[in-house]
Structures are given as structure tokens and as C-alpha cells.
Amino acid sequence: MTMEELDLSHIRNAEGEKLQYILGTLPGLSGPAATVEDVLFANESVRNLLMTAVQNQLFQKSKIRGALEASPLRGPASPTGPLIYEQQ
């Protein structure tokens, strides 16, 4: 999961730099003046990416919760059903 967080951090940083470039505020770089349409398109792109990132985080949370709630005492299935180990 740590690699996913790092990847997400890189994506968010790239999106921020894209907005800075479009707005002409990225240090050391300058491009043509952005139109209102350019800004609106970039804003929608960043918004969609962030919504996807939030959905990914919710999915990861669900997977972690499922792993934490899984019974550590349930063993592999046997012919009569799952083996249950007694706590000692």
C-alpha cells in the first residue's frame, strides 16, 4: 500500500504542476496565455482524477477492513467444513 500512496502523491503533484503551467505560475516555465476554456478543461481533468483517487482510497480502506475483520482462528477447509482452532 505504501507504493500506491507514493504513486498517488506523484500523480497529485503532476496535476498541480499542470494547473500551475496553465495558469502561468510554474516557476521557470511560461507558455501561451490560458483561455477560460483551457482553465475549465484542466479543472475538470484534475477534479476527475481526484475523484478517482478518493474512490481508490475507499476501495483500499474496504480491503484493509476486510483483512482486519477476518477471523485469525479459522483454518483451512476440511471435508466437514472449516477447521476452528481453539484459543489457548
Side-chain angles (χ1 to χ4, degrees):
M1 186 146 120
T2 302
M3 290 303 293
E4 290 174 1
E5 292 295 325
L6 183 61
D7 291 343
L8 186 56
S9 174
H10 287 295
I11 290 169
R12 286 189 304 239
N13 186 56
E15 290 298 303
E17 288 180 355
K18 179 169 58 175
L19 283 177
Q20 285 180 305
Y21 177 77
I22 289 170
L23 296 173
T25 60
L26 189 62
L29 294 176
S30 62
T35 65
V36 171
E37 291 81 20
D38 292 337
V39 174
L40 291 175
F41 180 79
N43 187 57
E44 185 67 19
S45 172
V46 171
R47 184 175 185 273
N48 289 337
L49 180 118
L50 292 176
M51 287 187 64
T52 300
V54 168
Q55 290 172 348
N56 183 295
Q57 292 295 305
L58 292 172
F59 177 68
Q60 294 297 328
K61 179 182 176 183
S62 174
K63 284 177 33 179
I64 290 171
R65 180 175 287 148
L68 292 173
E69 291 174 356
S71 172
L73 302 177
R74 192 168 294 272
S78 69
T80 59
L83 297 174
I84 305 297
Y85 298 107
E86 294 183 25
Q87 279 185 310
Q88 296 180 7

